[in-house]
């Protein structure tokens, strides 16, 4: 008898991070329904491995109900620093419950009970809602994403500087979100991670250590630098309003004071392998740059 595919709704399926869950689910044979905001994004989701798309909005409960209908599982990661992030998350959980969804994976944040940080505190009501439901939940607590370094990579190559607005010697827990996506796909297509709450971290590094790895992989010096938050935000051209920038500044002030702790044990156990290390991630960025340079030389030739 042929086994039916698991049907999973991925919310924000063309985002920088939820977009990594779509191919992870596709590799595991799941049929992915992608919730997107417009038709242009629908095409992107299909190209990434989604089986179907549905237009919707996290602030429109009726569109969430349509999206969740007939699904076996839901993957959700909230929009960063949104003023109503908790309300949107609660609406997604409610839609899943009413649609009789079985599995729900929430990509939360490491240390969500650090209530001094609003973007952490906003995850707590969503987690509480899952605990007070019959959903077969898996809650993921990922550390700072390595992909944030990837977003800064063009600037690092251009300037020879790796800059973040906290001291160079402060150690931060980081994780490759592709590993988080793999854990999410495992939880949505199997039962081993049901009812688990997992801290997901690959290791802790200071910016000095990361700059040293970059220098080795690139064969040229990369300097670790500590700009002010205002300088860094201006250079980074973040798509945030003043309120969101204030919240982000509090996150980096917390890093300045305390760093960000994390342990790779849980992620290693969940994956059944070593997670992508910082050295692995930087090596890949450097290799892609080398490949692009070689291709450019061939075209010029």
């Amino acid at each position: 008898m042929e086994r039916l595919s698991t049907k999973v709704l991925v919310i924000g399926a063309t985002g920088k991070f939820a977009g990594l869950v779509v191919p992870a689910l596709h590799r595991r044979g799941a049929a992915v329904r992608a919730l997107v905001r417009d038709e242009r994004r629908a095409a992107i989701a299909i190209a990434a491995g989604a089986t179907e798309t549905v237009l919707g909005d996290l602030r429109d409960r009726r569109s969430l109900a349509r999206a969740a209908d007939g699904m076996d599982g839901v993957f959700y990661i909230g929009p960063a620093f949104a003023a109503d992030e908790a309300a949107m998350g609660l609406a997604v959980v409610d839609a899943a419950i009413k649609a009789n969804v079985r599995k729900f994976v929430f990509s939360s944040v490491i240390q969500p009970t650090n209530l001094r940080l609003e973007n952490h505190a906003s995850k707590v009501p969503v987690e509480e809602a899952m605990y007070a439901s019959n959903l077969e939940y898996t809650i993921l607590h990922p550390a700072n994403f390595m992909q944030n370094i990837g977003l800064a990579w063009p600037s690092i190559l251009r300037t020879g500087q790796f800059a973040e607005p906290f001291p160079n010697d402060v150690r931060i827990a980081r994780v490759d979100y592709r590993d988080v996506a793999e854990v999410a796909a495992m939880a949505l297509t199997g039962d081993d991670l049901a009812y688990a709450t997992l801290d997901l971290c690959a290791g802790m590094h200071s910016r000095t250590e990361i700059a040293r790895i970059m220098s080795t992989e690139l064969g040229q010096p990369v300097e670790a630098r500590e700009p002010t938050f205002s300088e860094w935000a201006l250079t980074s051209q973040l798509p945030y309003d003043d309120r969101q920038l204030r919240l982000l500044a509090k996150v980096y002030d917390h890093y300045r004071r305390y760093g960000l702790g994390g342990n790779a044990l849980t992620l290693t156990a969940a994956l059944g392998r070593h997670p992508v290390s910082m050295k692995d991630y930087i090596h890949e960025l450097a290799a892609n740059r080398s490949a692009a340079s070689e291709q450019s030389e061939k075209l010029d030739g």
Side-chain angles (χ1 to χ4, degrees):
M1 181 175 176
E2 184 179 355
R3 183 177 181 273
L4 297 177
S5 296
T6 300
K7 295 176 288 186
V8 178
L9 172 66
V10 176
I11 295 176
T14 58
K16 291 190 294 293
F17 304 113
L20 297 173
V21 178
V22 175
L25 283 165
H26 179 71
R27 288 192 296 271
R28 290 182 172 269
V32 176
R33 175 183 290 173
L35 180 72
V36 296
R37 291 198 301 270
D38 55 54
E39 293 294 345
R40 181 183 63 82
R41 290 179 179 270
I44 296 171
I46 294 296
T51 307
E52 61 175 312
T53 62
V54 59
L55 298 182
D57 190 295
L58 290 173
R59 297 182 175 93
D60 181 350
R61 285 181 174 263
R62 282 187 289 186
S63 72
L64 291 176
R66 290 192 300 270
D69 184 49
M71 294 290 101
D72 301 310
V74 170
F75 173 83
Y76 175 65
I77 180 173
F81 300 107
D84 55 347
E85 181 181 344
M88 287 188 283
L90 291 173
V92 175
V93 173
D94 184 60
I97 293 170
K98 289 178 178 176
N100 293 314
V101 168
R102 184 163 73 96
K103 292 178 175 290
F104 194 108
V105 172
F106 176 40
S107 183
S108 180
V109 66
I110 200 167
Q111 302 175 4
T113 53
N114 181 0
L115 303 183
R116 296 179 182 87
L117 302 179
E118 189 171 321
N119 64 308
H120 287 226
S122 63
K123 312 294 193 298
V124 173
V126 185
E127 295 191 15
E128 288 178 338
M130 283 184 286
Y131 294 141
S133 77
N134 291 317
L135 292 167
E136 191 176 290
Y137 58 80
T138 304
I139 301 173
L140 309 180
H141 289 166
N144 190 285
F145 305 156
M146 291 182 190
Q147 277 68 22
N148 293 327
I149 296 175
L151 293 173
W153 191 243
S155 174
I156 293 167
L157 293 177
R158 185 176 66 254
T159 64
Q161 297 178 335
F162 176 33
E164 292 174 314
F166 54 88
N168 290 333
D169 60 351
V170 167
R171 299 174 73 225
I172 298 295
R174 308 199 195 226
V175 67
D176 187 328
Y177 202 84
R178 291 172 297 183
D179 280 344
V180 179
E182 184 173 341
V183 172
M186 293 168 63
L188 287 161
T189 59
D191 296 326
D192 289 347
L193 299 179
Y195 306 109
T197 300
L198 307 171
D199 279 4
L200 301 180
C201 168
M204 294 174 63
H205 295 278
S206 71
R207 194 161 53 260
T208 298
E209 292 169 339
I210 296 173
R212 189 178 302 125
I213 294 170
M214 290 175 176
S215 299
T216 300
E217 293 295 334
L218 289 171
Q220 62 190 57
V222 174
E223 175 192 3
R225 195 171 74 82
E226 181 194 351
T228 66
F229 179 82
S230 296
E231 292 170 341
W232 176 82
L234 183 63
T235 302
S236 300
Q237 297 182 324
L238 300 170
Y240 292 156
D241 59 26
D242 288 344
R243 174 192 163 277
Q244 291 170 312
L245 287 173
R246 285 195 298 273
L247 295 180
L248 182 58
K250 289 183 179 180
V251 172
Y252 283 117
D253 184 61
H254 181 82
Y255 290 175
R256 173 184 298 279
R257 294 168 180 265
Y258 311 110
L260 181 67
N263 186 296
L265 180 63
T266 303
L267 181 55
T268 302
L271 291 171
R273 60 168 172 81
H274 291 296
V276 175
S277 69
M278 181 59 68
K279 184 177 180 180
D280 295 334
Y281 186 77
I282 299 300
H283 177 80
E284 182 179 346
L285 290 176
N288 288 340
R289 180 219 188 183
S290 298
S293 298
E294 290 176 6
Q295 182 63 26
S296 176
E297 289 174 4
K298 288 179 181 178
L299 291 175
D300 291 342

